[in-house]
C-alpha cells in the first residue's frame, strides 16, 4: 500500500476523536431478519449474485503452474479452474458430458499432466475441456452428433485475483467490477504470495453472517474479551466503499502511537487488519506479514461452506518456517470457529425462530451497513 495512502488513512484515525466517532457511518440502518431466513430471498441472491457473477474464486498464485487446477462449487455450479499450457486460465464445468459424473474430484486441488479421466466410464478430457476419447467403446457413441466437450464459463485473472461467472460466458471486466478496490489491492503483489494451506468447514448459518463477522470491530471488546480484545481497537474500523465491495480496516489498540511520529515514518500496515470484501463470495485480508483469503459458498439459506486459506510472502524454506504459518492459520481459525461462528449459528437459529423482525446496524459498523445496503440495491 502506497505511503501517501497509509498516511491518508492514519490521518483519519488521528482526527477521529473520542472512540473514533469520526469514522462512523452517517446513519444507522435496520435490515429485515428475513434477509437471512427467507428461501425466496436466498434463491434470488444465489441467482443474481453468485450465479450471474462475477464471483471471486481465489488467488491466482494457487494455480501458477501449467496443469494446476482447483475444483469448487460456485453458485451451486461445480467448476474446475485449470491453468493451461499457454498460461491462460479456463473454467470448466466439472460435469461429464456422458452422464453427469464429476470429471475431476470435487473440492480438490492438483496438477493434471495431460488429461482428466472421468471416474465413471473413463471418458478422457484434455486440460482445456475438449473430449479426447472414449476408450474401449467399440464405436458405441459413433452416432452421437452432440459436441461432448466440457462446458466452459467465463474466468478472468487480474491483480493476482481470479474471478469466475458460473452462469455463463460473458467476459468479466475485473477492474470495472472492483470499482477502484484494485488501486490498493494491486499494490500488495498478491501474485507473489505462496499458498500454505486451505481448510474448509460447513456452518449452519446464512452466507451473509460469515461476511458480517468481519464487518465491524465493535464485538471485539465483549465477544473476544478473553482472546484478542487486549490487542485490538473495538471502537470503529476505517471504511472505504468500492461499488458493492469495500475495505474494512480493523485497528490495533495502540494505532495512535504511530501518529505521534514524524509523518514520513507513518505506516498503517503494522496496525491494520486490512480486509477487502469482494462481494459476494469472500474476503482478501492483509494482516501484518501474510495474506488470508476467506471464501463462502452458500449451500442453502442456512448452510454455508467456508474456506480459509493462508498465504505467505515468500516460500517457507524450513519446517520451522512452515510451522509458523500453519500455527498462524490455527490461531486465526481458533478465534473464529470457537468464538465468532458458534455465535453466528445461534443468531441464525434465533432469526429462524421468527421472533425478531429486524436487525439494527449502528453507525460504528460502517462496512456492515454498506454491505447490506449494496445487497438491497443489487437485488432490488
Ligand atoms: S459419466 Fe463420465 S464417462 Fe460416463
Ligand atoms: Fe470476531
Amino acid at each position: 500500500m502506497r505511503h501517501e495512502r497509509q498516511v491518508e488513512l492514519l490521518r483519519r484515525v488521528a482526527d477521529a476523536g473520542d472512540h473514533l466517532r469520526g469514522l462512523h457511518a452517517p446513519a444507522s440502518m435496520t435490515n429485515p431478519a428475513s434477509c437471512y431466513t427467507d428461501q425466496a430471498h436466498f434463491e434470488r441472491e444465489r441467482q443474481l449474485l453468485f450465479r450471474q457473477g462475477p464471483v471471486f474464486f481465489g488467488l491466482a498464485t494457487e494455480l501458477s503452474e501449467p496443469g494446476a487446477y482447483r475444483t469448487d462449487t460456485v453458485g451451486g455450479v461445480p467448476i474446475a479452474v485449470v491453468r493451461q499450457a499457454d498460461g491462460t486460465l479456463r473454467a470448466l464445468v466439472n460435469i461429464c458430458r456422458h452422464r453427469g459424473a464429476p470429471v475431476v474430484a470435487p473440492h480438490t486441488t492438483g496438477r493434471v499432466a495431460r488429461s482428466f479421466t472421468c471416474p465413471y466410464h473413463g471418458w478422457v478430457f484434455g486440460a482445456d475441456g475438449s473430449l479426447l476419447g472414449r476408450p474401449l467403446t467399440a464405436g458405441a457413441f459413433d452416432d452421437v452428433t452432440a459436441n461432448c466437450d466440457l462446458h466452459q464459463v467465463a474466468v478472468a485473472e487480474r491483480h493476482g485475483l481470479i474471478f469466475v461467472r458460473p452462469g455463463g460466458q460473458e467476459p468479466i471486466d475485473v477492474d470495472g467490477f472492483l470499482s477502484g478496490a484494485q488501486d490498493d489491492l494491486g499494490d500488495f503483489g498478491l501474485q507473489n504470495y505462496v499458498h500454505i494451506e486451505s481448510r474448509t468447514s460447513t456452518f449452519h448459518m446464512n452466507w451473509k453472517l460469515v461476511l458480517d463477522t468481519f464487518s465491524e470491530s465493535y464485538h471485539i471488546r465483549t465477544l473476544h474479551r478473553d482472546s484478542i480484545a487486549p490487542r485490538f481497537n473495538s471502537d470503529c474500523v476505517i471504511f472505504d466503499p468500492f461499488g458493492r465491495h469495500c475495505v474494512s480496516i480493523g485497528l490495533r489498540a495502540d494505532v495512535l502511537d504511530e501518529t505521534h511520529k514524524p509523518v514520513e515514518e507513518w505506516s498503517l500496515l503494522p496496525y491494520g487488519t486490512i480486509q477487502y470484501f469482494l462481494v459476494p463470495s469472500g474476503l482478501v485480508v492483509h494482516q501484518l506479514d501474510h495474506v488470508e483469503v476467506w471464501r463462502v459458498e452458500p449451500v442453502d439459506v442456512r448452510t454455508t461452506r467456508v474456506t480459509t486459506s493462508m498465504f505467505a510472502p515468500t516460500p517457507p524454506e524450513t519446517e520451522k518456517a512452515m510451522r509458523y504459518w500453519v500455527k498462524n492459520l490455527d490461531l486465526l481459525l481458533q478465534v473464529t470457529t470457537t468464538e465468532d461462528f458458534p455465535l453466528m449459528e445461534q443468531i441464525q437459529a434465533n432469526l429462524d425462530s421468527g421472533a425478531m423482525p429486524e436487525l439494527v446496524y449502528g453507525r460504528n459498523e460502517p462496512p456492515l451497513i454498506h454491505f447490506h445496503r449494496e445487497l438491497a440495491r443489487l437485488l432490488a
Side-chain angles (χ1 to χ4, degrees), residues 7-279:
V7 168
E8 186 253 312
L9 294 168
L10 275 169
R11 181 122 28 224
R12 285 194 225 171
V13 180
D15 295 344
D18 226 19
H19 291 284
L20 301 182
R21 74 175 69 231
L23 299 181
H24 284 184
S28 63
M29 171 185 172
T30 56
N31 203 23
S34 59
C35 288
Y36 295 89
T37 61
D38 182 71
Q39 184 65 35
H41 187 86
F42 172 78
E43 293 300 343
R44 219 172 137 61
E45 288 174 337
R46 184 139 92 164
Q47 185 59 34
L48 289 174
L49 303 173
F50 286 87
R51 191 65 80 100
Q52 289 183 12
V55 176
F56 169 58
F57 185 80
L59 296 195
T61 181
E62 262 191 274
L63 303 177
S64 48
E65 303 294 322
Y69 66 82
R70 182 158 68 74
T71 56
D72 214 330
T73 312
V74 185
V77 179
I79 286 179
V81 174
V82 189
R83 179 72 66 186
Q84 304 295 299
D86 67 0
T88 60
L89 289 175
R90 287 195 186 217
L92 312 176
V93 176
N94 188 20
I95 302 179
C96 181
R97 297 298 302 278
H98 177 215
R99 281 171 52 202
V103 175
V104 195
H107 305 302
T108 58
T109 56
R111 193 159 169 200
V112 63
R114 207 181 75 81
S115 57
F116 299 107
T117 301
C118 179
Y120 198 1
H121 310 92
W123 285 21
V124 180
F125 298 90
D128 63 353
S130 58
L131 178 69
L132 298 181
R134 304 171 173 110
L136 306 176
T137 45
F141 292 87
D142 284 359
D143 58 342
V144 174
T145 52
N147 177 332
C148 290
D149 297 344
L150 297 181
H151 285 300
Q152 291 186 37
V153 296
V155 60
E157 172 182 19
R158 200 152 158 64
H159 311 295
L161 306 162
I162 300 172
F163 294 85
V164 296
R165 190 191 299 286
Q169 297 181 347
E170 190 197 325
I172 299 167
D173 167 11
V174 173
D175 282 348
F177 183 60
L178 287 174
S179 311
Q182 68 271 26
D183 295 345
D184 291 343
L185 252 178
D187 282 350
F188 285 112
L190 296 172
Q191 59 282 354
N192 302 322
Y193 278 76
V194 182
H195 180 237
I196 300 292
E197 190 185 343
S198 297
R199 295 186 204 162
T200 300
S201 302
T202 299
F203 295 95
H204 298 291
M205 58 187 178
N206 183 267
W207 66 275
K208 295 186 292 299
L209 285 170
V210 181
L211 296 187
D212 288 2
T213 301
F214 302 97
S215 69
E216 40 86 9
S217 62
Y218 176 34
H219 72 282
I220 292 177
R221 182 179 290 136
T222 34
L223 183 63
H224 299 311
R225 75 183 159 269
D226 298 325
S227 56
I228 61 171
R231 284 176 287 130
F232 287 90
N233 175 285
S234 200
D235 290 322
C236 201
V237 295
I238 308 175
F239 160 75
D240 265 336
F242 302 106
R244 69 174 70 180
H245 317 290
C246 68
V247 66
S248 168
I249 306 178
L251 299 164
R252 300 248 155 187
D254 54 357
V255 60
L256 285 172
D257 293 356
E258 189 70 1
T259 61
H260 300 142
K261 295 181 184 170
V263 74
E264 316 79 67
E265 294 173 24
W266 285 14
S267 174
L268 173 66
L269 299 183
Y271 298 94
T273 303
I274 306 174
Q275 311 173 103
Y276 292 89
F277 281 63
L278 300 180
V279 177

